Amino acid sequence: MLKEKIKSLAQELKEEVISNRRHLHANPELSYQEFETANFVKQKLEEIGIHKIESKATTGWTALIEGKNPKKKVIALRADMDALPIVEANEVSYKSQKEGVMHACGHDAHTASLLGAAKILHQVRDQFEGTIKLLFQPGEEVAPGGASFMIKDGALENPKPAGIIGQHVMPFIPAGKVGFRQGIYMASADELYLTVKGKGGHGAMPETLIDPVLIASHLIVAMQQVISRASSPKVPSVLSFGRVEALGATNVIPNEVKIQGTFRTLNEEWRATAHKKMLQLAHGLVESMGGELDFEIRKGYPFLQNDPELTARATDAAKEYLGEENVVDLDIWMAAEDFAYYSQEIDGCFYRLGTRNEAKGIVSGVHTPTFDIEEDALEIGAGLMAWLAVSELEKA
Ligand SMILES: [Zn+2]
Ligand SMILES: [Zn+2]
């Protein structure tokens, strides 16, 4: 049976997947600079015997694994390859050898898992019908997102996949388990940059000044009403300001105040409306208080929607592979992920691979200097991805 075959291949390959992950972990590269990583991936694909490889988005690849009747249906599997500007604090044999760069989001695990899945799928290619398209993408961590460049470069064409499946590590789920969610899952994320301009001077003479600090204070409070009053309580939204810079002194009012924040939600229509309302309110308020405002909204990734049918089929397939008890439901997650671009073009399913191991102290969140994964999870990381792809080719 194909499932058992995939399971035993995943078991055989486990050490290789771990060693690939460790190599990538020790040699991280920042977004859009994944040159060595891309070379490593290509070399591994060629070693497997996969030769239909195309360069995409400078440091990305697509590759095809053709089964019998390759035109019947195409399913895509995606991995991201970039690391983060973080100094690794883990003392492990595979610690980052590049000071200040770290695979702290698990993209090393995603890439190694997809290489493992590729090797499995190549070995069983006479046992499925259709084609599996692999996407190794750059730049997930930095807007506008490597996925958008992959799409512009034709990664979803020739052949066009019917659906795409992506996997991401999750340090809050124990290793051995995976998580799925149908429908809305992750948020859009936009960066807000505001500069409130007034007229600075001596703090003892406010009547001669336009105080940008007071205006900015009102602005921060007033903007929350867009979230609390203008948005439907049924649509999750969050507005957070994490940086406020007023470089005056106890007795000096500065000329300007800079504010930076993030706006996230799960509905594209409301996202556009909220942008308008925030701009309108902020400009009106600042001008009514005599100041001037520069307000830039830098649009980030769209919200991520998992296609309900594809995700339901993938969830069932995961239950067949891992047992019902090892497949959990995911809650909405207000972080953003550029996989969302793919899921706006074709049916998408973005699921989570549990990588937590409390006994070993592997509990840190992604994007922290102590993030690590329970590597036993990589057997599932490779095997389940391969299984999800072939089951999806069989179904529908
Ligand atoms: Zn990340
Ligand atoms: Zn990530």
PDB file of all heavy atoms in Angstrom, residues 80 84 104-107 140-141 168 336-337 366-367, ligand 1:
ATOM      1  N   ASP A  80       9.645  27.556   2.126  1.00  0.00           N
ATOM      2  CA  ASP A  80      10.378  28.828   2.101  1.00  0.00           C
ATOM      3  C   ASP A  80      11.780  28.590   2.650  1.00  0.00           C
ATOM      4  O   ASP A  80      12.019  27.648   3.393  1.00  0.00           O
ATOM      5  CB  ASP A  80       9.630  29.930   2.865  1.00  0.00           C
ATOM      6  CG  ASP A  80       9.038  29.442   4.180  1.00  0.00           C
ATOM      7  OD1 ASP A  80       9.377  28.321   4.614  1.00  0.00           O
ATOM      8  OD2 ASP A  80       8.239  30.179   4.779  1.00  0.00           O
ATOM      9  N   LEU A  84      16.387  34.821   9.454  1.00  0.00           N
ATOM     10  CA  LEU A  84      16.066  36.110  10.078  1.00  0.00           C
ATOM     11  C   LEU A  84      17.311  36.801  10.656  1.00  0.00           C
ATOM     12  O   LEU A  84      18.272  36.125  11.024  1.00  0.00           O
ATOM     13  CB  LEU A  84      15.067  35.881  11.224  1.00  0.00           C
ATOM     14  CG  LEU A  84      13.640  35.550  10.802  1.00  0.00           C
ATOM     15  CD1 LEU A  84      12.905  34.840  11.929  1.00  0.00           C
ATOM     16  CD2 LEU A  84      12.896  36.811  10.393  1.00  0.00           C
ATOM     17  N   ALA A 104      15.265  31.165  12.563  1.00  0.00           N
ATOM     18  CA  ALA A 104      14.452  31.215  13.786  1.00  0.00           C
ATOM     19  C   ALA A 104      12.965  31.083  13.471  1.00  0.00           C
ATOM     20  O   ALA A 104      12.121  31.278  14.341  1.00  0.00           O
ATOM     21  CB  ALA A 104      14.721  32.518  14.529  1.00  0.00           C
ATOM     22  N   CYS A 105      12.653  30.758  12.216  1.00  0.00           N
ATOM     23  CA  CYS A 105      11.235  30.559  11.869  1.00  0.00           C
ATOM     24  C   CYS A 105      11.035  29.155  11.302  1.00  0.00           C
ATOM     25  O   CYS A 105       9.969  28.818  10.798  1.00  0.00           O
ATOM     26  CB  CYS A 105      10.751  31.630  10.891  1.00  0.00           C
ATOM     27  SG  CYS A 105       8.950  31.821  10.864  1.00  0.00           S
ATOM     28  N   GLY A 106      12.084  28.349  11.338  1.00  0.00           N
ATOM     29  CA  GLY A 106      11.932  26.960  10.889  1.00  0.00           C
ATOM     30  C   GLY A 106      11.962  26.748   9.393  1.00  0.00           C
ATOM     31  O   GLY A 106      11.646  25.658   8.911  1.00  0.00           O
ATOM     32  N   HIS A 107      12.361  27.763   8.623  1.00  0.00           N
ATOM     33  CA  HIS A 107      12.356  27.592   7.167  1.00  0.00           C
ATOM     34  C   HIS A 107      13.409  26.562   6.725  1.00  0.00           C
ATOM     35  O   HIS A 107      13.281  25.963   5.661  1.00  0.00           O
ATOM     36  CB  HIS A 107      12.537  28.940   6.460  1.00  0.00           C
ATOM     37  CG  HIS A 107      11.441  29.930   6.776  1.00  0.00           C
ATOM     38  ND1 HIS A 107      11.340  31.154   6.186  1.00  0.00           N
ATOM     39  CD2 HIS A 107      10.383  29.858   7.622  1.00  0.00           C
ATOM     40  CE1 HIS A 107      10.279  31.805   6.663  1.00  0.00           C
ATOM     41  NE2 HIS A 107       9.690  31.045   7.550  1.00  0.00           N
ATOM     42  N   GLU A 140      10.358  34.873   2.430  1.00  0.00           N
ATOM     43  CA  GLU A 140       9.033  34.897   3.064  1.00  0.00           C
ATOM     44  C   GLU A 140       8.941  35.986   4.116  1.00  0.00           C
ATOM     45  O   GLU A 140       7.880  36.527   4.376  1.00  0.00           O
ATOM     46  CB  GLU A 140       8.713  33.530   3.695  1.00  0.00           C
ATOM     47  CG  GLU A 140       7.249  33.365   4.119  1.00  0.00           C
ATOM     48  CD  GLU A 140       6.868  34.125   5.362  1.00  0.00           C
ATOM     49  OE1 GLU A 140       7.674  34.199   6.306  1.00  0.00           O
ATOM     50  OE2 GLU A 140       5.749  34.679   5.412  1.00  0.00           O
ATOM     51  N   GLU A 141      10.065  36.308   4.752  1.00  0.00           N
ATOM     52  CA  GLU A 141      10.026  37.178   5.936  1.00  0.00           C
ATOM     53  C   GLU A 141       9.967  38.663   5.617  1.00  0.00           C
ATOM     54  O   GLU A 141       9.709  39.461   6.511  1.00  0.00           O
ATOM     55  CB  GLU A 141      11.260  36.917   6.822  1.00  0.00           C
ATOM     56  CG  GLU A 141      11.348  35.505   7.392  1.00  0.00           C
ATOM     57  CD  GLU A 141      10.349  35.251   8.524  1.00  0.00           C
ATOM     58  OE1 GLU A 141       9.588  36.169   8.863  1.00  0.00           O
ATOM     59  OE2 GLU A 141      10.344  34.130   9.044  1.00  0.00           O
ATOM     60  N   HIS A 168       4.252  24.633   7.920  1.00  0.00           N
ATOM     61  CA  HIS A 168       5.062  25.510   8.778  1.00  0.00           C
ATOM     62  C   HIS A 168       5.186  24.903  10.166  1.00  0.00           C
ATOM     63  O   HIS A 168       4.210  24.400  10.708  1.00  0.00           O
ATOM     64  CB  HIS A 168       4.427  26.904   8.874  1.00  0.00           C
ATOM     65  CG  HIS A 168       5.413  27.969   9.270  1.00  0.00           C
ATOM     66  ND1 HIS A 168       6.019  27.991  10.515  1.00  0.00           N
ATOM     67  CD2 HIS A 168       5.919  29.030   8.595  1.00  0.00           C
ATOM     68  CE1 HIS A 168       6.846  29.035  10.569  1.00  0.00           C
ATOM     69  NE2 HIS A 168       6.810  29.674   9.418  1.00  0.00           N
ATOM     70  N   ALA A 336       1.165  37.073   9.892  1.00  0.00           N
ATOM     71  CA  ALA A 336       0.949  37.037   8.441  1.00  0.00           C
ATOM     72  C   ALA A 336       1.946  36.083   7.811  1.00  0.00           C
ATOM     73  O   ALA A 336       2.972  35.761   8.401  1.00  0.00           O
ATOM     74  CB  ALA A 336       1.114  38.428   7.850  1.00  0.00           C
ATOM     75  N   GLU A 337       1.629  35.637   6.618  1.00  0.00           N
ATOM     76  CA  GLU A 337       2.447  34.617   5.943  1.00  0.00           C
ATOM     77  C   GLU A 337       2.237  34.803   4.455  1.00  0.00           C
ATOM     78  O   GLU A 337       1.100  34.922   4.000  1.00  0.00           O
ATOM     79  CB  GLU A 337       1.948  33.243   6.451  1.00  0.00           C
ATOM     80  CG  GLU A 337       2.294  32.040   5.626  1.00  0.00           C
ATOM     81  CD  GLU A 337       3.788  31.748   5.505  1.00  0.00           C
ATOM     82  OE1 GLU A 337       4.472  31.621   6.534  1.00  0.00           O
ATOM     83  OE2 GLU A 337       4.249  31.638   4.363  1.00  0.00           O
ATOM     84  N   VAL A 366       8.648  31.081  17.519  1.00  0.00           N
ATOM     85  CA  VAL A 366       9.401  31.473  16.331  1.00  0.00           C
ATOM     86  C   VAL A 366       9.837  32.937  16.472  1.00  0.00           C
ATOM     87  O   VAL A 366       9.247  33.699  17.225  1.00  0.00           O
ATOM     88  CB  VAL A 366       8.595  31.273  15.020  1.00  0.00           C
ATOM     89  CG1 VAL A 366       8.347  29.798  14.761  1.00  0.00           C
ATOM     90  CG2 VAL A 366       7.287  32.042  15.052  1.00  0.00           C
ATOM     91  N   HIS A 367      10.892  33.287  15.763  1.00  0.00           N
ATOM     92  CA  HIS A 367      11.464  34.646  15.784  1.00  0.00           C
ATOM     93  C   HIS A 367      12.106  34.987  17.131  1.00  0.00           C
ATOM     94  O   HIS A 367      12.189  36.160  17.489  1.00  0.00           O
ATOM     95  CB  HIS A 367      10.428  35.720  15.406  1.00  0.00           C
ATOM     96  CG  HIS A 367       9.971  35.642  13.973  1.00  0.00           C
ATOM     97  ND1 HIS A 367       9.676  36.739  13.209  1.00  0.00           N
ATOM     98  CD2 HIS A 367       9.763  34.580  13.157  1.00  0.00           C
ATOM     99  CE1 HIS A 367       9.313  36.361  11.988  1.00  0.00           C
ATOM    100  NE2 HIS A 367       9.350  35.048  11.945  1.00  0.00           N
TER     101      HIS A 367
HETATM  102 ZN    ZN B   1       8.745  34.002  10.323  1.00  0.00          ZN
END
